[in-house]
Coordinates of all heavy atoms in Angstrom, one line a residue:
M1 N -70.3 -32.3 -54.1 CA -71.6 -32.7 -54.7 C -71.1 -33.7 -55.9 O -70.3 -33.3 -56.7 CB -72.3 -31.5 -55.4 CG -73.7 -31.7 -55.5 SD -74.6 -30.1 -55.8 CE -75.0 -30.4 -57.4
P2 N -71.7 -34.9 -55.9 CA -71.3 -35.8 -56.9 C -71.8 -35.4 -58.3 O -72.8 -34.7 -58.4 CB -72.0 -37.1 -56.6 CG -73.1 -36.7 -55.6 CD -72.6 -35.4 -54.9
V3 N -70.9 -35.6 -59.3 CA -71.3 -35.2 -60.6 C -71.9 -36.3 -61.4 O -71.3 -37.4 -61.6 CB -70.0 -34.7 -61.4 CG1 -70.3 -34.3 -62.8 CG2 -69.3 -33.5 -60.6
H4 N -73.1 -36.1 -61.9 CA -73.8 -37.1 -62.6 C -73.2 -37.0 -64.1 O -73.2 -36.0 -64.7 CB -75.2 -36.9 -62.7 CG -76.0 -37.9 -63.5 ND1 -76.2 -39.2 -63.2 CD2 -76.5 -37.7 -64.8 CE1 -76.8 -39.8 -64.2 NE2 -77.0 -39.0 -65.2
R5 N -72.8 -38.2 -64.5 CA -72.4 -38.2 -65.9 C -73.3 -39.0 -66.8 O -73.6 -40.2 -66.5 CB -71.0 -38.8 -65.9 CG -70.0 -37.9 -65.2 CD -68.5 -38.1 -65.6 NE -68.2 -39.5 -65.4 CZ -67.1 -40.0 -65.6 NH1 -66.0 -39.3 -65.9 NH2 -66.8 -41.2 -65.4
S6 N -73.6 -38.5 -67.9 CA -74.6 -39.2 -68.8 C -73.7 -40.2 -69.7 O -72.6 -40.2 -69.7 CB -75.1 -38.0 -69.8 OG -74.2 -37.6 -70.6
P7 N -74.5 -41.1 -70.3 CA -73.8 -42.1 -71.2 C -73.1 -41.4 -72.2 O -71.9 -41.9 -72.6 CB -75.1 -42.9 -71.7 CG -76.1 -42.7 -70.8 CD -75.9 -41.4 -70.2
F8 N -73.5 -40.3 -72.7 CA -72.8 -39.6 -73.8 C -71.5 -39.1 -73.3 O -70.5 -39.2 -74.0 CB -73.7 -38.4 -74.3 CG -72.9 -37.5 -75.1 CD1 -72.5 -37.9 -76.4 CD2 -72.5 -36.2 -74.6 CE1 -71.8 -36.9 -77.2 CE2 -71.8 -35.3 -75.4 CZ -71.5 -35.7 -76.7
E9 N -71.5 -38.6 -72.1 CA -70.3 -38.1 -71.5 C -69.2 -39.2 -71.3 O -68.1 -39.0 -71.5 CB -70.5 -37.3 -70.3 CG -71.1 -36.0 -70.5 CD -71.6 -35.3 -69.3 OE1 -72.1 -36.1 -68.4 OE2 -71.6 -34.0 -69.2
R10 N -69.7 -40.3 -70.9 CA -68.8 -41.5 -70.7 C -68.3 -42.0 -72.0 O -67.1 -42.2 -72.2 CB -69.5 -42.6 -69.9 CG -69.7 -42.4 -68.5 CD -69.9 -43.6 -67.7 NE -71.2 -44.2 -68.1 CZ -72.3 -44.0 -67.6 NH1 -72.4 -43.1 -66.6 NH2 -73.4 -44.6 -67.9
L11 N -69.1 -41.9 -73.1 CA -68.7 -42.3 -74.4 C -67.6 -41.4 -74.9 O -66.6 -41.7 -75.5 CB -69.8 -42.4 -75.4 CG -70.6 -43.7 -75.4 CD1 -71.9 -43.4 -76.3 CD2 -69.9 -44.9 -75.9
R12 N -67.9 -40.2 -74.6 CA -67.0 -39.1 -75.2 C -65.6 -39.2 -74.5 O -64.6 -39.0 -75.2 CB -67.6 -37.7 -74.8 CG -66.8 -36.6 -75.4 CD -67.5 -35.3 -75.4 NE -66.7 -34.4 -76.2 CZ -67.0 -33.1 -76.5 NH1 -68.2 -32.8 -76.3 NH2 -66.2 -32.3 -77.1
E13 N -65.6 -39.5 -73.3 CA -64.4 -39.7 -72.5 C -63.5 -40.8 -73.1 O -62.3 -40.7 -73.3 CB -64.7 -40.0 -71.0 CG -64.3 -38.9 -70.1 CD -64.4 -39.2 -68.7 OE1 -64.5 -40.3 -68.3 OE2 -64.6 -38.3 -67.9
K14 N -64.3 -41.9 -73.4 CA -63.7 -43.0 -73.9 C -63.0 -42.6 -75.3 O -61.9 -43.0 -75.6 CB -64.6 -44.1 -74.2 CG -64.1 -45.5 -74.5 CD -65.2 -46.4 -74.6 CE -64.9 -47.7 -75.5 NZ -66.0 -48.5 -75.6
F15 N -63.7 -41.9 -76.1 CA -63.1 -41.5 -77.4 C -62.1 -40.5 -77.2 O -61.0 -40.5 -78.0 CB -64.3 -40.9 -78.3 CG -64.8 -41.9 -79.1 CD1 -65.8 -42.7 -78.7 CD2 -64.3 -42.1 -80.4 CE1 -66.3 -43.7 -79.5 CE2 -64.8 -43.1 -81.3 CZ -65.8 -43.9 -80.8
D16 N -62.2 -39.6 -76.3 CA -61.1 -38.6 -76.1 C -59.8 -39.3 -75.7 O -58.7 -38.7 -76.0 CB -61.5 -37.6 -74.9 CG -62.5 -36.6 -75.4 OD1 -62.8 -36.6 -76.6 OD2 -63.1 -35.9 -74.6
E17 N -59.9 -40.4 -75.1 CA -58.7 -41.1 -74.7 C -58.2 -42.0 -75.8 O -57.0 -42.4 -75.7 CB -59.0 -42.0 -73.5 CG -59.2 -41.2 -72.1 CD -59.7 -42.0 -71.0 OE1 -59.9 -43.2 -71.2 OE2 -60.0 -41.4 -70.0
S18 N -58.9 -42.3 -76.8 CA -58.5 -43.2 -77.8 C -57.6 -42.5 -78.8 O -57.6 -41.3 -78.9 CB -59.7 -43.8 -78.6 OG -60.2 -42.8 -79.4
E19 N -56.8 -43.3 -79.4 CA -55.7 -42.6 -80.3 C -56.3 -42.2 -81.6 O -57.1 -42.9 -82.2 CB -54.8 -43.8 -80.6 CG -53.5 -43.4 -81.2 CD -52.5 -44.5 -81.3 OE1 -52.9 -45.5 -82.0 OE2 -51.4 -44.4 -80.9
L20 N -55.9 -41.0 -82.0 CA -56.3 -40.5 -83.3 C -55.3 -41.0 -84.3 O -54.2 -40.3 -84.5 CB -56.4 -39.0 -83.2 CG -57.7 -38.3 -82.6 CD1 -57.5 -36.9 -82.4 CD2 -58.9 -38.6 -83.4
R21 N -55.6 -42.0 -85.0 CA -54.7 -42.5 -86.0 C -55.4 -42.5 -87.4 O -56.6 -43.0 -87.6 CB -54.3 -44.0 -85.7 CG -53.3 -44.6 -86.7 CD -53.1 -46.0 -86.5 NE -52.4 -46.2 -85.2 CZ -51.1 -46.2 -85.2 NH1 -50.3 -46.0 -86.2 NH2 -50.5 -46.5 -84.0
C22 N -54.7 -42.0 -88.4 CA -55.3 -41.9 -89.6 C -55.1 -43.2 -90.4 O -54.0 -43.8 -90.4 CB -54.6 -40.8 -90.5 SG -55.1 -40.7 -92.2
Q23 N -56.2 -43.7 -90.9 CA -56.1 -45.1 -91.5 C -55.5 -45.0 -92.9 O -55.0 -46.0 -93.4 CB -57.6 -45.6 -91.7 CG -58.3 -45.8 -90.4 CD -58.0 -47.0 -89.6 OE1 -57.7 -48.0 -90.3 NE2 -58.1 -47.0 -88.4
S24 N -55.4 -43.8 -93.4 CA -54.9 -43.7 -94.8 C -53.3 -43.6 -94.8 O -52.6 -44.2 -95.5 CB -55.4 -42.5 -95.5 OG -56.8 -42.6 -95.6
C25 N -52.8 -42.8 -93.8 CA -51.4 -42.5 -94.0 C -50.6 -42.9 -92.7 O -49.4 -43.0 -92.6 CB -51.1 -41.1 -94.3 SG -51.4 -39.9 -92.9
G26 N -51.4 -43.3 -91.6 CA -50.9 -43.8 -90.4 C -50.4 -42.7 -89.4 O -49.9 -43.0 -88.4
Y27 N -50.7 -41.5 -89.7 CA -50.4 -40.4 -88.9 C -51.1 -40.5 -87.6 O -52.3 -40.7 -87.6 CB -50.7 -39.0 -89.6 CG -50.4 -37.8 -88.7 CD1 -49.2 -37.4 -88.5 CD2 -51.6 -37.1 -88.2 CE1 -49.0 -36.2 -87.7 CE2 -51.3 -36.0 -87.3 CZ -50.1 -35.6 -87.1 OH -50.0 -34.5 -86.3
V28 N -50.4 -40.2 -86.5 CA -51.2 -40.3 -85.2 C -51.1 -38.8 -84.6 O -50.0 -38.2 -84.5 CB -50.4 -41.1 -84.2 CG1 -51.1 -41.0 -82.8 CG2 -50.4 -42.6 -84.7
D29 N -52.3 -38.2 -84.4 CA -52.3 -36.9 -83.9 C -52.5 -36.9 -82.4 O -53.6 -37.2 -81.9 CB -53.6 -36.2 -84.6 CG -53.7 -34.7 -84.3 OD1 -52.8 -34.2 -83.4 OD2 -54.4 -34.0 -85.0
T30 N -51.4 -36.6 -81.7 CA -51.4 -36.8 -80.3 C -52.2 -35.6 -79.7 O -52.6 -35.7 -78.5 CB -50.0 -36.9 -79.7 OG1 -49.2 -35.8 -80.3 CG2 -49.4 -38.2 -80.2
D31 N -52.2 -34.5 -80.3 CA -52.9 -33.3 -79.7 C -54.3 -33.1 -80.3 O -55.0 -32.2 -79.8 CB -52.1 -32.1 -80.0 CG -50.7 -32.1 -79.4 OD1 -50.6 -32.5 -78.2 OD2 -49.7 -31.6 -80.0
G32 N -54.7 -34.0 -81.2 CA -56.0 -33.7 -81.9 C -57.1 -34.2 -81.0 O -56.9 -34.9 -80.0
K33 N -58.3 -33.8 -81.4 CA -59.5 -34.3 -80.7 C -60.6 -34.6 -81.7 O -60.5 -34.1 -82.9 CB -60.1 -33.2 -79.8 CG -59.3 -33.0 -78.6 CD -60.2 -32.2 -77.6 CE -59.4 -32.0 -76.3 NZ -59.2 -33.2 -75.5
W34 N -61.4 -35.6 -81.4 CA -62.5 -35.8 -82.2 C -63.5 -34.7 -82.3 O -63.7 -34.1 -81.2 CB -63.2 -37.1 -81.7 CG -62.5 -38.3 -81.8 CD1 -61.7 -38.9 -80.8 CD2 -62.4 -39.3 -83.0 NE1 -61.3 -40.1 -81.3 CE2 -61.6 -40.3 -82.6 CE3 -63.0 -39.2 -84.3 CZ2 -61.3 -41.4 -83.5 CZ3 -62.6 -40.2 -85.1 CH2 -61.8 -41.3 -84.7
R35 N -64.0 -34.4 -83.4 CA -65.1 -33.5 -83.4 C -66.4 -34.2 -83.3 O -66.6 -35.2 -83.9 CB -65.1 -32.7 -84.7 CG -64.0 -31.7 -84.8 CD -64.1 -30.9 -86.0 NE -63.1 -29.8 -86.0 CZ -63.4 -28.5 -86.3 NH1 -64.5 -28.2 -86.5 NH2 -62.5 -27.7 -86.1
V36 N -67.2 -33.7 -82.4 CA -68.4 -34.5 -82.0 C -69.7 -33.8 -82.4 O -69.8 -32.6 -82.1 CB -68.5 -34.7 -80.5 CG1 -69.7 -35.6 -80.1 CG2 -67.1 -35.2 -79.9
T37 N -70.5 -34.5 -83.1 CA -71.9 -33.9 -83.5 C -72.9 -34.9 -83.1 O -72.6 -36.1 -83.1 CB -72.0 -33.6 -85.0 OG1 -71.8 -34.7 -85.7 CG2 -71.0 -32.5 -85.4
T38 N -74.0 -34.5 -82.6 CA -75.1 -35.3 -82.3 C -76.4 -35.0 -83.0 O -76.6 -33.9 -83.3 CB -75.4 -35.2 -80.7 OG1 -75.8 -33.9 -80.3 CG2 -74.2 -35.6 -79.9
S39 N -77.1 -36.1 -83.3 CA -78.4 -35.9 -83.9 C -79.3 -37.0 -83.4 O -79.0 -38.2 -83.6 CB -78.3 -35.8 -85.4 OG -77.9 -37.0 -85.9
G40 N -80.4 -36.7 -82.8 CA -81.2 -37.7 -82.2 C -80.5 -38.5 -81.3 O -79.8 -38.0 -80.4
G41 N -80.4 -39.9 -81.4 CA -79.8 -40.7 -80.4 C -78.4 -41.1 -81.0 O -77.7 -42.0 -80.4
R42 N -77.9 -40.4 -82.0 CA -76.6 -40.8 -82.6 C -75.6 -39.7 -82.3 O -75.9 -38.6 -82.3 CB -76.7 -40.9 -84.2 CG -77.5 -42.2 -84.5 CD -77.5 -42.2 -86.0 NE -78.3 -43.3 -86.5 CZ -78.9 -43.4 -87.7 NH1 -78.6 -42.5 -88.6 NH2 -79.6 -44.4 -88.1
V43 N -74.4 -40.3 -82.1 CA -73.3 -39.4 -81.9 C -72.2 -39.7 -82.9 O -71.9 -40.8 -83.2 CB -72.6 -39.6 -80.5 CG1 -71.4 -38.7 -80.2 CG2 -73.7 -39.5 -79.4
R44 N -71.8 -38.7 -83.7 CA -70.9 -38.9 -84.7 C -69.5 -38.2 -84.3 O -69.5 -37.0 -83.9 CB -71.3 -38.2 -86.0 CG -72.4 -39.0 -86.7 CD -72.5 -38.6 -88.2 NE -73.7 -39.3 -88.8 CZ -74.9 -38.8 -88.7 NH1 -75.2 -37.7 -88.2 NH2 -75.9 -39.5 -89.3
Y45 N -68.5 -39.0 -84.6 CA -67.1 -38.5 -84.2 C -66.4 -38.3 -85.5 O -66.5 -39.2 -86.5 CB -66.4 -39.5 -83.3 CG -66.9 -39.5 -82.0 CD1 -68.0 -40.3 -81.6 CD2 -66.3 -38.8 -80.9 CE1 -68.5 -40.3 -80.4 CE2 -66.7 -38.8 -79.6 CZ -67.8 -39.6 -79.4 OH -68.3 -39.6 -78.1
R46 N -65.7 -37.3 -85.7 CA -65.0 -37.0 -87.0 C -63.7 -36.4 -86.6 O -63.4 -35.6 -85.8 CB -65.9 -36.0 -87.7 CG -65.6 -35.8 -89.2 CD -66.8 -35.1 -89.8 NE -66.5 -34.8 -91.2 CZ -65.8 -33.7 -91.6 NH1 -65.4 -32.7 -90.6 NH2 -65.6 -33.4 -92.8
F47 N -62.7 -36.9 -87.4 CA -61.4 -36.5 -87.3 C -60.8 -36.2 -88.8 O -60.9 -37.2 -89.6 CB -60.6 -37.4 -86.5 CG -59.0 -37.2 -86.7 CD1 -58.4 -36.1 -86.3 CD2 -58.3 -38.3 -87.3 CE1 -57.0 -35.9 -86.3 CE2 -56.9 -38.1 -87.4 CZ -56.3 -36.9 -87.0
V48 N -60.4 -35.1 -89.1 CA -59.7 -34.9 -90.4 C -58.2 -34.8 -90.2 O -57.6 -34.1 -89.5 CB -60.1 -33.5 -90.9 CG1 -59.5 -33.3 -92.4 CG2 -61.7 -33.5 -91.1
C49 N -57.5 -35.7 -90.9 CA -56.1 -35.9 -90.9 C -55.4 -34.6 -91.3 O -55.7 -34.2 -92.5 CB -55.6 -37.1 -91.6 SG -53.8 -37.3 -91.7
P50 N -54.6 -34.0 -90.6 CA -53.8 -32.7 -91.0 C -52.8 -33.1 -92.1 O -52.3 -32.1 -92.7 CB -53.2 -32.2 -89.7 CG -53.1 -33.4 -88.9 CD -54.1 -34.4 -89.2
V51 N -52.5 -34.3 -92.2 CA -51.4 -34.5 -93.2 C -52.0 -34.9 -94.6 O -51.6 -34.4 -95.7 CB -50.6 -35.8 -92.8 CG1 -49.6 -36.2 -93.8 CG2 -49.9 -35.4 -91.5
C52 N -52.9 -35.8 -94.7 CA -53.5 -36.2 -95.9 C -55.0 -35.8 -96.2 O -55.5 -36.1 -97.2 CB -53.2 -37.6 -96.2 SG -54.3 -38.8 -95.2
D53 N -55.6 -35.2 -95.2 CA -57.0 -34.7 -95.3 C -58.0 -35.9 -95.4 O -59.1 -35.7 -95.8 CB -57.2 -33.8 -96.6 CG -56.5 -32.4 -96.3 OD1 -56.4 -32.0 -95.1 OD2 -56.2 -31.8 -97.3
A54 N -57.5 -37.0 -95.0 CA -58.5 -38.2 -94.9 C -59.4 -37.9 -93.7 O -59.0 -37.2 -92.8 CB -57.7 -39.5 -94.8
V55 N -60.6 -38.4 -93.8 CA -61.6 -38.2 -92.8 C -61.9 -39.5 -92.1 O -62.3 -40.5 -92.8 CB -62.9 -37.6 -93.3 CG1 -63.9 -37.3 -92.2 CG2 -62.6 -36.3 -94.0
E56 N -61.6 -39.6 -90.8 CA -62.0 -40.7 -90.0 C -63.3 -40.4 -89.4 O -63.6 -39.4 -88.7 CB -61.0 -40.9 -88.9 CG -59.6 -41.4 -89.4 CD -59.7 -42.7 -89.9 OE1 -60.3 -43.6 -89.3 OE2 -59.2 -43.0 -91.0
T57 N -64.3 -41.3 -89.4 CA -65.5 -41.1 -88.7 C -65.9 -42.3 -87.9 O -65.6 -43.5 -88.3 CB -66.7 -40.8 -89.7 OG1 -66.8 -41.9 -90.6 CG2 -66.5 -39.6 -90.4
R58 N -66.6 -42.1 -86.7 CA -67.1 -43.2 -86.0 C -68.6 -42.7 -85.7 O -68.8 -41.6 -85.6 CB -66.4 -43.4 -84.7 CG -64.9 -43.6 -84.7 CD -64.6 -45.0 -85.0 NE -63.1 -45.3 -85.1 CZ -62.3 -45.0 -86.1 NH1 -62.8 -44.4 -87.1 NH2 -61.1 -45.1 -85.9
E59 N -69.4 -43.7 -85.6 CA -70.8 -43.3 -85.2 C -71.2 -44.3 -84.2 O -71.1 -45.5 -84.3 CB -71.7 -43.5 -86.4 CG -73.0 -42.9 -86.2 CD -73.9 -42.7 -87.4 OE1 -73.4 -42.1 -88.4 OE2 -75.0 -43.3 -87.5
L60 N -71.9 -43.6 -83.1 CA -72.3 -44.5 -82.1 C -73.8 -44.2 -81.9 O -74.5 -43.2 -82.1 CB -71.7 -44.1 -80.8 CG -70.1 -44.3 -80.7 CD1 -69.5 -43.6 -79.4 CD2 -69.8 -45.8 -80.8
Q61 N -74.5 -45.3 -81.5 CA -75.9 -45.2 -81.1 C -76.1 -45.2 -79.7 O -75.6 -46.1 -79.0 CB -76.7 -46.3 -81.8 CG -78.1 -46.2 -81.6 CD -78.7 -45.4 -82.7 OE1 -78.4 -45.4 -83.9 NE2 -79.7 -44.6 -82.3
L62 N -76.7 -44.2 -79.1 CA -77.0 -44.1 -77.7 C -78.1 -45.0 -77.4 O -79.1 -44.9 -78.1 CB -77.2 -42.7 -77.2 CG -76.0 -41.7 -77.3 CD1 -76.4 -40.4 -76.7 CD2 -74.8 -42.3 -76.4
E63 N -78.1 -45.7 -76.3 CA -79.2 -46.5 -75.9 C -80.3 -45.6 -75.3 O -80.1 -44.7 -74.7 CB -78.7 -47.5 -74.7 CG -77.7 -48.4 -75.2 CD -78.1 -49.3 -76.3 OE1 -79.3 -49.7 -76.3 OE2 -77.3 -49.7 -77.1
Ligands
ZN101 ZN1 -53.6 -39.2 -93.1

C-alpha cells in the first residue's frame, strides 16, 4: 500500500536530514534532532545547543 506523505512530513524529512549546527559556537550535533511544534499553518523547528545553550529556530509556513 502506497504511503501518502503530507507536505509537513516532507518538510520534516528535509529538516531531519539537514545539519544541526549552532550559529553561536559552531558545534555540530550529529545525533541531535530538531524539536518540532506546529500551530495553525506554521511549523516551528527548535534546537538547543548542548554546548552553549544557544537556541536555533526555523519557522516554516505550510501552504
Ligand atoms: Zn553552541
Side-chain angles (χ1 to χ4, degrees):
M1 211 166 107
V3 179
H4 176 74
R5 296 197 307 183
S6 69
F8 168 71
E9 284 168 327
R10 284 200 296 273
L11 279 172
R12 182 165 188 170
E13 248 182 26
K14 189 175 161 189
F15 265 85
D16 283 349
E17 288 167 7
S18 73
E19 191 174 60
L20 280 170
R21 179 190 293 274
C22 175
Q23 300 281 328
S24 297
C25 73
Y27 174 77
V28 178
D29 191 344
T30 51
D31 295 322
K33 284 198 181 293
W34 293 96
R35 289 185 170 232
V36 186
T37 57
T38 57
S39 65
R42 285 184 188 161
V43 184
R44 286 199 186 88
Y45 290 82
R46 196 161 170 274
F47 163 65
V48 180
C49 176
V51 175
C52 72
D53 288 335
V55 179
E56 292 290 317
T57 56
R58 304 282 185 277
E59 189 170 307
L60 298 172
Q61 185 82 40
L62 291 180
E63 300 295 328

